[in-house]
Structures are given as C-alpha cells and as structure tokens.
Amino acid sequence: MQSTVEVSETALTERQKDVLDAALTLLVEAGDTLTMTSVARRASCSKESLYKWFGDRDGLLTATVQWQASKVRGVPVDPEAFGLTSLTTGLERFASDWLRVLSGTISVALNRVAVGHAGSDKHDLGAIVLENGPFAMARRLKPLLRLGRDTGLLHFQDTDEAFRTFFGLVVRDVQIRLLLGDRFELTEAAIDRDARRATQQFLALYGADTKAAGDGH
Amino acid sequence: MQSTVEVSETALTERQKDVLDAALTLLVEAGDTLTMTSVARRASCSKESLYKWFGDRDGLLTATVQWQASKVRGVPVDPEAFGLTSLTTGLERFASDWLRVLSGTISVALNRVAVGHAGSDKHDLGAIVLENGPFAMARRLKPLLRLGRDTGLLHFQDTDEAFRTFFGLVVRDVQIRLLLGDRFELTEAAIDRDARRATQQFLALYGADTKAAGDGH
DNA sequence: ACGCTGCCGTAACGTACGGTACGGTACGCA
DNA sequence: TGCGTACCGTACCGTACGTTACGGCAGCGT
C-alpha cells in the first residue's frame, strides 16, 4: 500500500488500478465507444465510484492513458564501456522495443482515442500521449546519440534532427497503417530485422566512417 | 427510393459537391463531432436531402472522404530524358508535395476521423483513407523508383522496402505529432528543406555510387 | 449495538443527436 | 390552372449514454 504509484500526483488504490486495467481492455475491444456503464460492469464497480474517483468520462480516459504510460517507463540505456558495438546494440534494442510497443494492441487503441480527442479536449489526451510517446522516446534516445557523437562514433549537428531521422527509419509507415486499421502481422522476427535495418541505415547516414549526407548544415 | 445512391463512381451534382465541401470545412473545424444538423445548416440544405443523398451519417462521411480524395489525384511523374537530376528533382517534388498535403488542415482532419472509425465501421473509413493515402503514394512513387533502378541510378531489391524507407525519411514524426494535436509550423521553406534532406538521405542509402546499406544484402 | 464510511447495483433524469415526417415553396410541364 | 418533382426548414420521435440519486450491505471504530 505504501508503494504509491505517483502518476502526476495521484495515488491510485489497487482497486482503482484494477478499474483502469478493465478500462484498458475495453478500450482495446471497443475503442472510443466504451461507455461508463460498460466499464462499471466489466470492473464490477459502481458508476458512482467511477465518477467519485475520476470526475467524469474524460477524467477516466485520462487516468487510463496515464496509468498505461506509467507502466511503460524504464528501458534505460546506460553507457559504460562504450563503443560501436554497444552503440549499435543500444540502437537496435531501442528500435525493437519501440516497434514492439507501437504495434501492440494497447498502444494502437490509446493512440486512436488520443487522435480522436486531439485538441478539442478538456484534459487534452493528445498532449498526454504525445508526451509519453514520441517525446518520451526522444528524451530516452538522445543521451545515447550524444554519447555517440561525443565519442566520435556519430556525426551530426542537431540532435533533434538525428533523432527524428532515426524515428522515421524505425517507424516508417507502420504506425499510421496500424492506426488506420490495416491488418498487419509484425512478427518477432520482422521486428528484429527492421530494428537492425533501421540501425544500419542510421549508421550509414550518421556514422563517423561515412560522409554524413543527413545533416545538411 | 429507386434512386440508388452509388457511392463508388458516383456522379455528384454540383449541389451535392457544395454540401460535401461544407462537410469538409466542418470536419476541419469540429472534427468528428460534426452533426447532421450542423452540416445541413452550414450547407443550407435539409436533413432530408442529406439522408436521401448519402443514406446515413456514415455514408456522408464516406462520401466526404472520397470527394476530397478525388480532388488530390494527379501529380504524375513522367519519365523522359531520365537521369540523376530528374530522379532527384522527382523525389524532391514528390516529398514536398506529400509533406504539404500531409500537414494541411484537411488531411489532418480526415485522418483523424478515419483513425477514430478504423475497423469498427460499416464503410471502413480507415481503409478508404489508407487506400487514398499511403497506398496511393506508394503506387505513384514506385514507377519512379523502378525507373531509377532500371537505369542503374538506384540499388535495391524490394521496391516496397525502398518506398517505405523513403516514406520514413520524408514523414518522420510529422504526421503522428500533427494527429496528436502538436502545434506545428511547417513553413514552405521547411518543407523544401525537408524534401531535399530526405531525398539526399535516400540517395545516400540507395544511390548507385554508395554502398547500399539499406537492403539487407 | 450503533453509527459512519465506502462501495455495489440499479433505477431515474436530462439531453444530444441520428433519423423521420410533414408543411411550404419554386419550377417544369401539360 | 393543375400536377409532379425536388428541395428547404422545422418539428418530432426514439434511443443511447453521461450523470445523478438512492437503497442496501459489509467492515470498522467506539
């Protein structure tokens, strides 16, 4: 009970976490058409409790998104004994983790509701997903990129530009196609292959031993 | 009721086109929250006519998406007197056109509703946008890529893989950030710069004069 | 034992909106 | 002049769902 999971500064009880997990599975199943009644039924709780805990439907959705985001933390890339090998494996691991999360049903469902609510929204789900999705990825990857540059393994001027290129090489059209409902089979093998390919392409563009064609000063 | 409303290959009257344009602007303003009443009011037509012409709300949305798609056709890249210069300018022109469309308010709005309705939908807006978005782009670009390969300017085995890499280099995180509501200023200058950068990076990866690092042997 | 608290289950309320019906008007045509 | 067609404007209906209210129960402190 003392293990309070601080989301922004809300401490969630175990019961509430169960409710949010139920909301997550419903979000995956039914998308944005989930109703307060369906959540209450699935979680075996009363609607009164839902409104008491989360305020309104928007608050429930927001809490659900944040709850999921709080679970994805971690995956640190810590630099020790750094070299081209560890840079490469770091990038590959990052890319494959990312593709795995991105293509997961939960991520697809959450991005769908966030896109649907973007902008016109009290709590602005879009901003929350943006913050815990692309922006969090950037914050996590950039230290590795800077380390690569500082050790002379990478050449670029703008860290953000380098990150965004890596983003493009990794994600390509996968996310938009999944969001638009394209049936997509992303096997474990395909993920690993894509992660290696993206990493090699990135190194070809920004690696020290090649002429950097990417950062057109 | 004999007037079967043909949705694909529909001949639209001018009045109906006006109505769909009104629906488009409402979609941009209000997103998926647009109501039949609001469309009728904005277009100065009766709801009865809306239902007569488009069947139901889903039919109206579908017709609106298709109407917009029918306007974006064109932009042919015709190959004559082909060389590295025309390949480069072709890729750049393609990339900049694409970024311009992608970052437009109409495209963002349509992709939002399509993502929101993806899968769970009678007419499957997601599939329609997918077909007229990424897939149409692929169909348009691939001839240019094949021409580049046939003339020895490009090296790759899988045309689809090459296209998807170009997709990633061009779009990067722009589309998802826009869809999630990130305020984004994509000036004309920035679009041109990005188009050139993406093209140069693509040529660095797949150009004949460089070791192709992209297409896993 | 008594009251308080927290919660479940469900009934009830208000409303927004998709869909339909209907009266009124303009226009073409015999 | 009368009839049919197409359409606008609006009133209307049914329903789904967000939100609230209430009755009942279980646990806990005193």
Side-chain angles (χ1 to χ4, degrees), chain B residues 67-217:
Chain B
W67 166 236
Q68 169 66 14
S70 77
K71 291 195 282 190
V72 184
R73 299 279 163 74
V75 193
V77 264
D78 74 326
E80 52 185 23
F82 196 71
L84 180 58
T85 310
S86 50
L87 173 63
T88 305
T89 55
L91 290 174
E92 286 178 357
R93 221 169 67 82
F94 195 90
S96 64
D97 282 355
W98 197 354
L99 280 174
R100 222 182 318 272
V101 170
L102 210 68
S103 61
T105 56
I106 294 182
S107 168
V108 170
L110 290 185
N111 275 279
R112 286 219 179 109
V113 313
V115 164
H117 287 214
S120 56
D121 199 332
K122 184 170 20 173
H123 297 292
D124 205 348
L125 288 183
I128 295 175
V129 171
L130 208 49
E131 188 57 37
N132 292 285
F135 293 167
M137 293 300 121
R139 280 195 303 275
R140 272 197 249 159
L141 185 59
K142 281 179 181 175
L144 184 61
L145 296 181
R146 290 204 195 86
L147 189 60
R149 182 178 57 180
D150 294 345
T151 56
L153 293 172
L154 296 176
H155 276 181
F156 56 82
Q157 295 172 0
D158 189 338
T159 310
D160 195 54
E161 282 291 307
F163 162 76
R164 296 178 67 201
T165 297
F166 189 62
F167 183 110
L169 288 171
V170 172
V171 177
R172 302 198 290 184
D173 59 355
V174 170
Q175 186 166 29
I176 188 63
R177 283 172 66 178
L178 286 172
L179 290 181
L180 285 173
D182 193 9
R183 307 281 177 270
F184 223 75
E185 32 181 316
L186 212 50
T187 66
E188 203 65 21
I191 287 178
D192 283 354
R193 198 178 336 115
D194 276 354
R196 273 197 294 275
R197 173 202 45 79
T199 300
Q200 287 309 311
Q201 289 177 328
F202 183 75
L203 290 176
L205 291 176
Y206 291 98
D209 54 349
T210 68
K211 301 196 295 267
D215 212 10
H217 38 280

Side-chain angles (χ1 to χ4, degrees), chain A residues 34-36 47-48 51 56-57:
Chain A
L34 97 169
T35 68
M36 299 300 278
K47 292 210 277 181
E48 187 183 33
Y51 284 98
D56 57 3
R57 185 174 184 276

Side-chain angles (χ1 to χ4, degrees), chain A residues 108-183:
Chain A
V108 170
L110 289 185
N111 275 277
R112 285 221 179 107
V113 312
V115 164
H117 288 214
S120 56
D121 198 333
K122 182 170 25 171
H123 297 293
D124 204 350
L125 288 184
I128 295 176
V129 171
L130 207 50
E131 188 56 37
N132 292 284
F135 292 167
M137 294 300 122
R139 279 196 302 274
R140 273 197 246 160
L141 186 59
K142 282 179 179 174
L144 184 62
L145 296 180
R146 289 205 194 85
L147 189 59
R149 181 177 58 180
D150 293 347
T151 54
L153 294 172
L154 296 177
H155 275 180
F156 56 82
Q157 295 172 0
D158 189 337
T159 310
D160 195 53
E161 282 289 308
F163 162 77
R164 295 179 68 201
T165 296
F166 190 63
F167 183 110
L169 290 172
V170 172
V171 176
R172 304 197 289 182
D173 59 356
V174 169
Q175 187 167 28
I176 187 63
R177 284 172 65 178
L178 286 173
L179 290 181
L180 286 173
D182 193 9
R183 308 281 177 268

Side-chain angles (χ1 to χ4, degrees), chain A residues 20-39:
Chain A
L20 293 182
D21 279 327
L24 268 179
T25 70
L26 272 178
L27 224 45
V28 170
E29 293 174 13
D32 201 9
T33 68
L34 97 169
T35 68
M36 299 300 278
T37 306
S38 71
V39 174

